[in-house]
Amino acid sequence: VVPQAVEDVAALKRDILLQAAQCSRGELSHDKNPIAALVERLEAQESSSRVEDLNGRWNLIYSSTQLFLSSPFFMAARDVCEEGEEAERFLYFCKLHREALAFTSIGQVAQIINHVGDSDPEEATLTSEFESNVAVAPGLPIIVKGTIESKATITEVMNGRDIRLKMDTVKIKQGTSNIPFANTFLDRFKGLPTRDMSDFLESTIPKSVRDYQAPQPVFRTTFLDSRVRVSRNCDDELFIYAKCGAV
């Protein structure tokens, strides 16, 4: 039996970063196979990661699907869908949603992970930031800006790096809107309390009556070091992140 070759991890990561940049994080029409093949080779390599390496601000540099599916809000929505027809309808809705936002320019997409590996695991959180610039009308130089902020609690870390999420709140991040009166309102809005609503349904409606359980999607991490994180959702779609200030 020939042992699996140990590859140059730094070279693999450079090739992945280059490929990701050339297709604008996966938004441009491109052949996904080269990146998928590079990532599979990277996932096969050993990494000396610690669970604490999950912490920090991670910029999304490539996705094999819609960028907004990296948000815990959409992960939770996908998690409540049954496999098969329901899941297909949800993914088709996401495709139509992106097409409806044809005049939207997507800025930074990031995840901020805090307190993983701390002595108090209940403090571990994942915050998604999705920056969008929307044209009021095609051809007009009037842009509405804002960052959608979704927060989730990390309820469990499995295998030292896979994370289970429970959605908390979603809102427009304070101070990111370019509309002055909107900023005043948004700075006072604490966000849509999705966690509270889920907990209320679970605790109030008897199990014999309801067909609902609060979604807790798992976001797998298939490669991790201090600079690069490769993650996959329940549909095995690919999300590649670079830690801010590290790459």
mmCIF file of all heavy atoms in Angstrom, residues 115-141:
data_model
loop_
_atom_site.group_PDB
_atom_site.id
_atom_site.type_symbol
_atom_site.label_atom_id
_atom_site.label_comp_id
_atom_site.label_asym_id
_atom_site.label_seq_id
_atom_site.Cartn_x
_atom_site.Cartn_y
_atom_site.Cartn_z
ATOM 1 N N HIS A 115 -15.088 33.042 21.409
ATOM 2 C CA HIS A 115 -15.177 32.289 22.667
ATOM 3 C C HIS A 115 -15.258 30.771 22.495
ATOM 4 O O HIS A 115 -15.610 30.072 23.451
ATOM 5 C CB HIS A 115 -16.366 32.770 23.507
ATOM 6 C CG HIS A 115 -16.313 34.230 23.832
ATOM 7 N ND1 HIS A 115 -15.293 34.782 24.573
ATOM 8 C CD2 HIS A 115 -17.150 35.265 23.490
ATOM 9 C CE1 HIS A 115 -15.498 36.087 24.694
ATOM 10 N NE2 HIS A 115 -16.603 36.398 24.040
ATOM 11 N N VAL A 116 -14.931 30.249 21.317
ATOM 12 C CA VAL A 116 -14.827 28.789 21.183
ATOM 13 C C VAL A 116 -13.583 28.333 21.946
ATOM 14 O O VAL A 116 -12.504 28.899 21.796
ATOM 15 C CB VAL A 116 -14.734 28.376 19.697
ATOM 16 C CG1 VAL A 116 -14.381 26.899 19.575
ATOM 17 C CG2 VAL A 116 -16.042 28.662 18.983
ATOM 18 N N GLY A 117 -13.743 27.321 22.771
ATOM 19 C CA GLY A 117 -12.621 26.825 23.565
ATOM 20 C C GLY A 117 -12.483 27.501 24.905
ATOM 21 O O GLY A 117 -11.620 27.115 25.709
ATOM 22 N N ASP A 118 -13.335 28.510 25.202
ATOM 23 C CA ASP A 118 -13.284 29.182 26.502
ATOM 24 C C ASP A 118 -13.834 28.269 27.592
ATOM 25 O O ASP A 118 -14.498 27.259 27.315
ATOM 26 C CB ASP A 118 -14.097 30.483 26.461
ATOM 27 C CG ASP A 118 -13.383 31.578 25.668
ATOM 28 O OD1 ASP A 118 -12.325 31.280 25.082
ATOM 29 O OD2 ASP A 118 -13.893 32.711 25.612
ATOM 30 N N SER A 119 -13.613 28.676 28.828
ATOM 31 C CA SER A 119 -14.088 27.877 29.961
ATOM 32 C C SER A 119 -15.606 27.851 30.043
ATOM 33 O O SER A 119 -16.196 26.912 30.577
ATOM 34 C CB SER A 119 -13.509 28.428 31.273
ATOM 35 O OG SER A 119 -13.838 29.801 31.419
ATOM 36 N N ASP A 120 -16.269 28.898 29.522
ATOM 37 C CA ASP A 120 -17.728 28.949 29.511
ATOM 38 C C ASP A 120 -18.216 28.743 28.083
ATOM 39 O O ASP A 120 -18.284 29.692 27.299
ATOM 40 C CB ASP A 120 -18.231 30.292 30.050
ATOM 41 C CG ASP A 120 -19.756 30.333 30.186
ATOM 42 O OD1 ASP A 120 -20.405 29.326 29.805
ATOM 43 O OD2 ASP A 120 -20.289 31.355 30.652
ATOM 44 N N PRO A 121 -18.558 27.525 27.700
ATOM 45 C CA PRO A 121 -18.939 27.241 26.311
ATOM 46 C C PRO A 121 -20.214 27.943 25.879
ATOM 47 O O PRO A 121 -20.467 28.090 24.680
ATOM 48 C CB PRO A 121 -19.111 25.716 26.299
ATOM 49 C CG PRO A 121 -19.376 25.348 27.712
ATOM 50 C CD PRO A 121 -18.599 26.325 28.543
ATOM 51 N N GLU A 122 -21.055 28.391 26.834
ATOM 52 C CA GLU A 122 -22.299 29.064 26.480
ATOM 53 C C GLU A 122 -22.057 30.432 25.859
ATOM 54 O O GLU A 122 -22.972 31.026 25.299
ATOM 55 C CB GLU A 122 -23.192 29.198 27.720
ATOM 56 C CG GLU A 122 -23.692 27.856 28.249
ATOM 57 C CD GLU A 122 -24.652 28.016 29.398
ATOM 58 O OE1 GLU A 122 -24.938 29.182 29.763
ATOM 59 O OE2 GLU A 122 -25.127 26.993 29.920
ATOM 60 N N GLU A 123 -20.837 30.947 25.945
ATOM 61 C CA GLU A 123 -20.517 32.250 25.383
ATOM 62 C C GLU A 123 -20.105 32.161 23.921
ATOM 63 O O GLU A 123 -19.938 33.184 23.250
ATOM 64 C CB GLU A 123 -19.385 32.911 26.194
ATOM 65 C CG GLU A 123 -19.760 33.254 27.625
ATOM 66 C CD GLU A 123 -20.835 34.315 27.694
ATOM 67 O OE1 GLU A 123 -20.803 35.253 26.880
ATOM 68 O OE2 GLU A 123 -21.720 34.194 28.566
ATOM 69 N N ALA A 124 -19.909 30.964 23.393
ATOM 70 C CA ALA A 124 -19.427 30.805 22.023
ATOM 71 C C ALA A 124 -20.495 31.253 21.024
ATOM 72 O O ALA A 124 -21.644 30.819 21.097
ATOM 73 C CB ALA A 124 -19.036 29.359 21.764
ATOM 74 N N THR A 125 -20.108 32.119 20.089
ATOM 75 C CA THR A 125 -21.060 32.668 19.126
ATOM 76 C C THR A 125 -20.453 32.722 17.727
ATOM 77 O O THR A 125 -19.232 32.755 17.557
ATOM 78 C CB THR A 125 -21.485 34.100 19.507
ATOM 79 O OG1 THR A 125 -20.325 34.949 19.557
ATOM 80 C CG2 THR A 125 -22.194 34.130 20.851
ATOM 81 N N LEU A 126 -21.333 32.732 16.741
ATOM 82 C CA LEU A 126 -20.960 32.992 15.356
ATOM 83 C C LEU A 126 -21.826 34.132 14.841
ATOM 84 O O LEU A 126 -23.056 34.069 14.934
ATOM 85 C CB LEU A 126 -21.143 31.751 14.484
ATOM 86 C CG LEU A 126 -20.712 31.896 13.007
ATOM 87 C CD1 LEU A 126 -20.193 30.553 12.475
ATOM 88 C CD2 LEU A 126 -21.847 32.381 12.112
ATOM 89 N N THR A 127 -21.182 35.173 14.336
ATOM 90 C CA THR A 127 -21.889 36.317 13.763
ATOM 91 C C THR A 127 -21.556 36.412 12.288
ATOM 92 O O THR A 127 -20.382 36.424 11.912
ATOM 93 C CB THR A 127 -21.495 37.633 14.463
ATOM 94 O OG1 THR A 127 -21.781 37.534 15.863
ATOM 95 C CG2 THR A 127 -22.259 38.810 13.873
ATOM 96 N N SER A 128 -22.593 36.447 11.467
ATOM 97 C CA SER A 128 -22.414 36.579 10.023
ATOM 98 C C SER A 128 -22.675 38.024 9.613
ATOM 99 O O SER A 128 -23.645 38.641 10.071
ATOM 100 C CB SER A 128 -23.384 35.648 9.284
ATOM 101 O OG SER A 128 -23.428 35.949 7.906
ATOM 102 N N GLU A 129 -21.810 38.555 8.756
ATOM 103 C CA GLU A 129 -22.005 39.898 8.206
ATOM 104 C C GLU A 129 -22.036 39.814 6.683
ATOM 105 O O GLU A 129 -21.135 39.243 6.068
ATOM 106 C CB GLU A 129 -20.890 40.837 8.667
ATOM 107 C CG GLU A 129 -20.929 41.133 10.154
ATOM 108 C CD GLU A 129 -19.900 42.153 10.596
ATOM 109 O OE1 GLU A 129 -19.080 42.585 9.759
ATOM 110 O OE2 GLU A 129 -19.917 42.528 11.781
ATOM 111 N N PHE A 130 -23.092 40.394 6.105
ATOM 112 C CA PHE A 130 -23.304 40.343 4.659
ATOM 113 C C PHE A 130 -23.543 41.771 4.173
ATOM 114 O O PHE A 130 -24.581 42.367 4.428
ATOM 115 C CB PHE A 130 -24.511 39.452 4.343
ATOM 116 C CG PHE A 130 -24.736 39.194 2.880
ATOM 117 C CD1 PHE A 130 -24.151 38.106 2.257
ATOM 118 C CD2 PHE A 130 -25.533 40.042 2.125
ATOM 119 C CE1 PHE A 130 -24.358 37.860 0.905
ATOM 120 C CE2 PHE A 130 -25.753 39.802 0.782
ATOM 121 C CZ PHE A 130 -25.162 38.714 0.172
ATOM 122 N N GLU A 131 -22.531 42.329 3.532
ATOM 123 C CA GLU A 131 -22.567 43.732 3.110
ATOM 124 C C GLU A 131 -23.171 43.833 1.708
ATOM 125 O O GLU A 131 -22.728 43.154 0.778
ATOM 126 C CB GLU A 131 -21.140 44.297 3.111
ATOM 127 C CG GLU A 131 -21.028 45.756 2.767
ATOM 128 C CD GLU A 131 -19.563 46.200 2.781
ATOM 129 O OE1 GLU A 131 -19.080 46.564 3.863
ATOM 130 O OE2 GLU A 131 -18.922 46.140 1.716
ATOM 131 N N SER A 132 -24.191 44.677 1.561
ATOM 132 C CA SER A 132 -24.843 44.817 0.256
ATOM 133 C C SER A 132 -24.984 46.284 -0.118
ATOM 134 O O SER A 132 -25.176 47.155 0.741
ATOM 135 C CB SER A 132 -26.218 44.148 0.264
ATOM 136 O OG SER A 132 -27.074 44.770 1.207
ATOM 137 N N ASN A 133 -24.863 46.534 -1.418
ATOM 138 C CA ASN A 133 -25.056 47.865 -1.985
ATOM 139 C C ASN A 133 -26.115 47.731 -3.075
ATOM 140 O O ASN A 133 -25.883 47.080 -4.091
ATOM 141 C CB ASN A 133 -23.751 48.392 -2.584
ATOM 142 C CG ASN A 133 -22.613 48.388 -1.576
ATOM 143 O OD1 ASN A 133 -22.734 48.923 -0.485
ATOM 144 N ND2 ASN A 133 -21.506 47.756 -1.933
ATOM 145 N N VAL A 134 -27.269 48.333 -2.846
ATOM 146 C CA VAL A 134 -28.415 48.144 -3.731
ATOM 147 C C VAL A 134 -28.702 49.423 -4.494
ATOM 148 O O VAL A 134 -28.868 50.498 -3.887
ATOM 149 C CB VAL A 134 -29.663 47.720 -2.930
ATOM 150 C CG1 VAL A 134 -30.819 47.416 -3.873
ATOM 151 C CG2 VAL A 134 -29.351 46.531 -2.040
ATOM 152 N N ALA A 135 -28.778 49.330 -5.814
ATOM 153 C CA ALA A 135 -29.152 50.474 -6.641
ATOM 154 C C ALA A 135 -30.647 50.718 -6.498
ATOM 155 O O ALA A 135 -31.453 49.782 -6.606
ATOM 156 C CB ALA A 135 -28.802 50.209 -8.097
ATOM 157 N N VAL A 136 -31.034 51.973 -6.250
ATOM 158 C CA VAL A 136 -32.452 52.313 -6.122
ATOM 159 C C VAL A 136 -33.182 52.012 -7.429
ATOM 160 O O VAL A 136 -34.299 51.506 -7.440
ATOM 161 C CB VAL A 136 -32.621 53.790 -5.730
ATOM 162 C CG1 VAL A 136 -34.086 54.198 -5.776
ATOM 163 C CG2 VAL A 136 -32.052 54.024 -4.334
ATOM 164 N N ALA A 137 -32.527 52.320 -8.547
ATOM 165 C CA ALA A 137 -33.077 52.012 -9.871
ATOM 166 C C ALA A 137 -31.913 51.801 -10.821
ATOM 167 O O ALA A 137 -30.867 52.451 -10.685
ATOM 168 C CB ALA A 137 -33.983 53.143 -10.367
ATOM 169 N N PRO A 138 -32.061 50.897 -11.778
ATOM 170 C CA PRO A 138 -30.971 50.636 -12.726
ATOM 171 C C PRO A 138 -30.542 51.912 -13.447
ATOM 172 O O PRO A 138 -31.374 52.670 -13.938
ATOM 173 C CB PRO A 138 -31.601 49.632 -13.711
ATOM 174 C CG PRO A 138 -32.711 49.001 -12.950
ATOM 175 C CD PRO A 138 -33.239 50.055 -12.025
ATOM 176 N N GLY A 139 -29.248 52.149 -13.493
ATOM 177 C CA GLY A 139 -28.714 53.299 -14.207
ATOM 178 C C GLY A 139 -28.593 54.562 -13.388
ATOM 179 O O GLY A 139 -27.910 55.511 -13.796
ATOM 180 N N LEU A 140 -29.226 54.593 -12.208
ATOM 181 C CA LEU A 140 -29.147 55.784 -11.359
ATOM 182 C C LEU A 140 -28.029 55.616 -10.325
ATOM 183 O O LEU A 140 -27.894 54.556 -9.735
ATOM 184 C CB LEU A 140 -30.472 56.027 -10.636
ATOM 185 C CG LEU A 140 -31.672 56.407 -11.499
ATOM 186 C CD1 LEU A 140 -32.901 56.622 -10.628
ATOM 187 C CD2 LEU A 140 -31.377 57.665 -12.307
ATOM 188 N N PRO A 141 -27.241 56.685 -10.121
ATOM 189 C CA PRO A 141 -26.115 56.580 -9.171
ATOM 190 C C PRO A 141 -26.545 56.761 -7.720
ATOM 191 O O PRO A 141 -25.918 57.475 -6.949
ATOM 192 C CB PRO A 141 -25.203 57.726 -9.627
ATOM 193 C CG PRO A 141 -26.150 58.754 -10.142
ATOM 194 C CD PRO A 141 -27.303 57.996 -10.781
#
